[in-house]
Amino acid sequence: MIVWLNGAFGAGKTTVARELCRALPTARRFDPEWLGYALRRTRPVPGGDYQDLAAWRRWTVRLAGLAARGGRPVVVPMTLLRADYRSEILGGLRRRGTPVRQVVLRVPEPVLRARIDGDDREAGARDWRHRHVARALAELSGLADRESDTVEVDNHGRGPAAVAAEIVASLSRLP
C-alpha cells in the first residue's frame, strides 16, 4: 500500500512522513522530489515545475510501484495539485494493482505562510511556495469528497505523532 501525503507547501508532509514511518514499523519512504531534481539536471523543465514533465510522472509511478512490491507500506510526501496529474499518478499505481490511500494534510493559510517563511532549508523556494499557497488551498480543500481513498487530516496545533496516529487509524476505515 502507498500512503500518499498531499497538502500545500508547508503543510508538514515530510515531518509527518517521518513520524508515519515510525508508527508503521515496516514502512519506508519514497520521495519523488529526488527524481524531479535528477530529471531537472538532464533536461529542460519548461515553467520550472518538474511535475510538468511526462517522464517525471511515468517514473514516479514506476518507482513508487516498485517500492510497494514487497508488501511493505510506502509513504510518499508529495504535493500533487493538478487533478490530471493526481489521476495519472495515483490511477497509474492503482492500475498496477497497488492500493493507494491519499491523505491531505490541512493547515490554515496563515500557519502555512509562517512555516514557509521559517523554513531555512527551503529558503530558495520560498517565493515559489508562497505563490502556490492559494491554489493549493483551493484545489485540495474538500478533496476527500471528490477523490476515492482520500482522507483529510488537520496538521496544526498538535504534534506529528498525533497526526500520524490519526492517519494510521484512518487507513483501516478506507475501503
Side-chain angles (χ1 to χ4, degrees), residues 48-83:
D49 188 349
Y50 57 76
Q51 288 191 12
D52 292 334
L53 296 173
W56 179 82
R57 297 188 305 276
R58 279 192 311 271
W59 277 105
T60 294
V61 171
R62 286 180 187 145
L63 294 174
L66 284 172
R69 267 190 167 169
R72 294 169 44 187
V74 176
V75 178
V76 182
M78 175 57 61
T79 299
L80 290 176
L81 296 182
R82 288 186 49 167

Side-chain angles (χ1 to χ4, degrees), residues 50-147:
Y50 57 76
Q51 288 191 12
D52 292 334
L53 296 173
W56 179 82
R57 297 188 305 276
R58 279 192 311 271
W59 277 105
T60 294
V61 171
R62 286 180 187 145
L63 294 174
L66 284 172
R69 267 190 167 169
R72 294 169 44 187
V74 176
V75 178
V76 182
M78 175 57 61
T79 299
L80 290 176
L81 296 182
R82 288 186 49 167
D84 56 337
Y85 291 177
R86 280 193 312 275
S87 177
E88 181 179 349
I89 293 168
L90 303 182
L93 288 163
R94 289 177 180 125
R95 283 187 295 281
R96 289 173 160 245
T98 304
V100 178
R101 305 298 186 253
Q102 180 176 212
V103 178
V104 178
L105 299 178
R106 291 186 304 222
V107 177
E109 183 173 355
V111 175
L112 286 171
R113 292 193 182 281
R115 287 181 182 182
I116 291 168
D117 288 337
D119 186 350
D120 293 331
R121 290 185 318 154
E122 296 286 338
R126 190 171 287 146
D127 290 339
W128 190 89
R129 293 169 82 195
H130 272 298
R131 284 194 311 272
H132 289 82
V133 166
R135 178 176 167 223
L137 293 174
E139 178 61 35
L140 299 175
S141 179
L143 195 61
D145 296 330
R146 300 188 311 272
E147 293 188 10

